[in-house]
Amino acid sequence: MKKYSIYFFLFVFVLSAAGMTVSAERNNTVGFSAGLIASADDRPYISGFNLGADSDDYFFTGSFYPRLVLNSMGPASLFSLSYGFGMNRVNSDLDLNTESHEIGLAWDTAIGERGSFRLSNNFRKSPDFDTFTLFRGIVEGPEGYFFDFDTVAEQRDSYWNDTSASLGVALGERSDLNFSGGISFRKFDDLPGFRNEDQFRTFAGLEYSRDISEHTSWNLGYDIRYFDFYGGESSAFSHNVGLGIHHMFSPTLTMDLSAGPAYVMHNQGVEQFENKTGYNAGFSLNKRIEKHLFSLNYNERSAATYGTGGLAKTRDAGLAYSREFERVLVNASVRYFNTESIYESGYSYEGVFSMLSFGLKLTRNLMFEVGGSYRKQDSDDYPGVSSYAEYERKRVYVSFRFNFPELWRISG
């Protein structure tokens, strides 16, 4: 873990220095938000042991989730720094209490009249990614399903960091060229009886996009990805080509569609596996009807690492709905996810995740919320192995959320 910490704190120093010195004329704001949450959970965990596996009882948890955000905006750049903390206290004689930490940084800046640059870093230390995401009021994306299988099935502290950069160049009034790259790692604390599932990923890509009309654009891209898993005992490369189209049917209805071939090369390991051909595909449709917003999406990836440390094809499909009344907020979503192990040594999962919440704005800065979530996953390869494959979790919660987006402001 030492070398990862060095990389992370070096990045924080460089990014902080860059963001604060881009311009002397800057508008700086500090925002603060927090959530006080009471929940009932039928699957709390201690390290290496699932307390709720054979029980229908619910365990009550009190949680506190504060978050601090610094934004610094200049004439041609924006710097953002955030820190979030999560504390859960479970009503039990066992040691079920947890703490989580998250740090986020981002720097966006213009380069001349035609260029733009973005650099970002996100770090998280948490034993329960599922809870940390839900109680912060964040809708979980596909990476949450495929990168964190084990941590939703067992409580196990882990360190996750993702660094990415992109450089965009406008080639003309209708064409753009974008270069991107990134590095991410996931390291788990060692516990007796667990495999070493540490993961490392890196990628580099190039994408060309062009506007066909006011409502339609297309893009063509290539990227190469490297996966290092099983604690470095095995690795693979993935080459991906994608062609995509974006179309706006109306100001309230948009569609994105992409597809392309992929080639996976297994680089090393205990056994030498055959190279694989496949494809990637994606689809999303967004419709707004006054203040109602509906979103439908589907994604399929030819190769990705996931919680157990192997390579798998991943598929996920989701439907989301949100509605903002004058004082009431409604959010609902359901997502199906599936993995198919590329090589024989991995697990294959299938499951569903759903959530529903209602929020009542008591004041401009205070909201009362009640909600719940349900998550279930199964495995055809290892039926009955609840620690890794078969998993079900039900939760209900109430919360008071405070939000002060500009608690303090100063211009420099």
Side-chain angles (χ1 to χ4, degrees):
M1 189 61 210
K2 184 177 179 181
K3 66 176 181 179
Y4 297 132
S5 300
I6 294 174
Y7 295 154
F8 172 71
F9 287 111
L10 178 62
F11 180 85
V12 171
F13 173 78
V14 173
L15 189 56
S16 300
M20 293 303 183
T21 58
V22 169
S23 173
E25 274 186 44
R26 306 195 69 83
N27 293 319
N28 305 301
T29 61
V30 176
F32 176 77
S33 61
L36 293 172
I37 302 131
S39 64
D41 187 347
D42 71 337
R43 301 264 306 200
Y45 303 97
I46 57 177
S47 296
F49 178 69
N50 173 10
L51 187 63
D54 300 314
S55 174
D56 294 327
D57 295 334
Y58 279 81
F59 295 81
F60 295 94
T61 304
S63 306
F64 179 51
Y65 280 69
R67 188 169 186 261
L68 194 65
V69 180
L70 166 67
N71 288 316
S72 180
M73 181 178 293
S77 68
L78 172 65
F79 172 78
S80 179
L81 169 66
S82 65
Y83 170 72
F85 174 72
M87 179 178 68
N88 298 320
R89 294 293 179 262
V90 183
N91 183 23
S92 172
D93 295 332
L94 298 174
D95 184 15
L96 304 177
N97 301 327
T98 63
E99 289 84 31
S100 302
H101 305 268
E102 183 179 56
I103 299 174
L105 301 107
W107 179 36
D108 293 85
T109 185
I111 303 177
E113 296 182 356
R114 292 181 174 270
S116 63
F117 179 72
R118 176 175 175 80
L119 187 63
S120 66
N121 190 86
N122 290 284
F123 172 82
R124 182 178 66 240
K125 174 184 180 294
S126 178
D128 190 345
F129 171 80
D130 210 27
T131 299
F132 194 36
T133 302
L134 178 68
F135 285 172
R136 286 182 301 159
I138 297 176
V139 178
E140 190 175 23
E143 282 294 287
Y145 297 100
F146 303 125
F147 209 2
D148 292 276
F149 269 110
D150 288 346
T151 55
V152 301
E154 302 284 356
Q155 184 189 120
R156 187 180 182 191
D157 225 343
S158 64
Y159 305 84
W160 171 82
N161 195 83
D162 179 77
T163 304
S164 63
S166 64
L167 174 65
V169 181
L171 302 180
E173 294 184 359
R174 293 190 171 188
S175 302
D176 296 280
L177 190 63
N178 187 72
F179 303 87
S180 61
I183 297 173
S184 63
F185 69 82
R186 183 69 181 271
K187 180 175 175 60
F188 294 91
D189 277 354
D190 292 329
L191 292 173
F194 282 93
R195 297 183 306 175
N196 188 350
E197 295 142 358
D198 299 341
Q199 302 174 32
F200 176 85
R201 305 177 184 177
T202 184
F203 79 95
L206 173 67
E207 182 182 83
Y208 172 80
S209 60
R210 182 173 177 82
D211 295 334
I212 302 174
S213 67
E214 185 180 352
H215 303 288
T216 306
S217 63
W218 65 271
N219 61 79
L220 177 65
Y222 163 79
D223 69 66
I224 180 172
R225 298 177 180 268
Y226 172 74
F227 307 98
D228 184 315
F229 44 97
Y230 287 131
E233 294 181 3
S234 193
S235 63
F237 286 94
S238 175
H239 298 271
N240 309 279
V241 176
L243 177 64
I245 186 169
H246 170 81
H247 182 68
M248 181 183 294
F249 296 97
S250 71
T252 62
L253 179 62
T254 59
M255 180 194 71
D256 288 276
L257 184 65
S258 64
Y263 184 63
V264 182
M265 302 171 59
H266 196 273
N267 191 42
Q268 64 181 44
V270 179
E271 300 180 36
Q272 185 63 44
F273 295 106
E274 294 182 358
N275 298 333
K276 304 285 185 178
T277 57
Y279 64 91
N280 303 309
F283 168 79
S284 69
L285 190 67
N286 296 282
K287 174 64 177 177
R288 180 177 290 277
I289 305 175
E290 295 181 348
K291 293 187 177 182
H292 301 268
L293 178 61
F294 299 87
S295 298
L296 175 67
N297 61 77
Y298 173 81
N299 292 282
E300 185 165 346
R301 303 161 190 82
S302 63
T305 51
Y306 60 120
T308 52
L311 274 180
K313 298 178 182 178
T314 66
R315 306 176 186 89
D316 68 277
L319 176 64
Y321 165 77
S322 64
R323 171 67 162 95
E324 183 175 353
F325 298 87
E326 183 177 351
R327 297 178 63 90
V328 178
L329 300 177
V330 180
N331 286 286
S333 67
V334 59
R335 181 172 292 275
Y336 165 82
F337 55 92
N338 172 273
T339 71
E340 180 183 338
S341 181
I342 294 179
Y343 304 113
E344 295 178 357
S345 58
Y347 295 96
S348 294
Y349 298 97
E350 182 179 43
V352 64
F353 176 81
S354 60
M355 62 83 62
L356 175 66
S357 69
F358 298 90
L360 174 63
K361 294 181 180 179
L362 302 178
T363 68
R364 186 177 67 174
N365 305 109
L366 175 62
M367 184 174 70
F368 172 76
E369 185 181 36
V370 58
S373 69
Y374 174 76
R375 182 166 185 160
K376 180 178 175 60
Q377 69 184 45
D378 296 295
S379 172
D380 295 333
D381 295 341
Y382 295 87
V385 185
S386 60
S387 61
Y388 284 107
E390 296 185 356
Y391 167 88
E392 186 176 16
R393 189 175 195 176
K394 300 179 288 291
R395 275 184 294 197
V396 293
Y397 66 90
V398 295
S399 70
F400 286 95
R401 299 190 185 274
F402 307 84
N403 185 29
F404 299 90
E406 292 189 3
L407 187 64
W408 177 75
R409 170 189 284 270
I410 186 171
S411 299

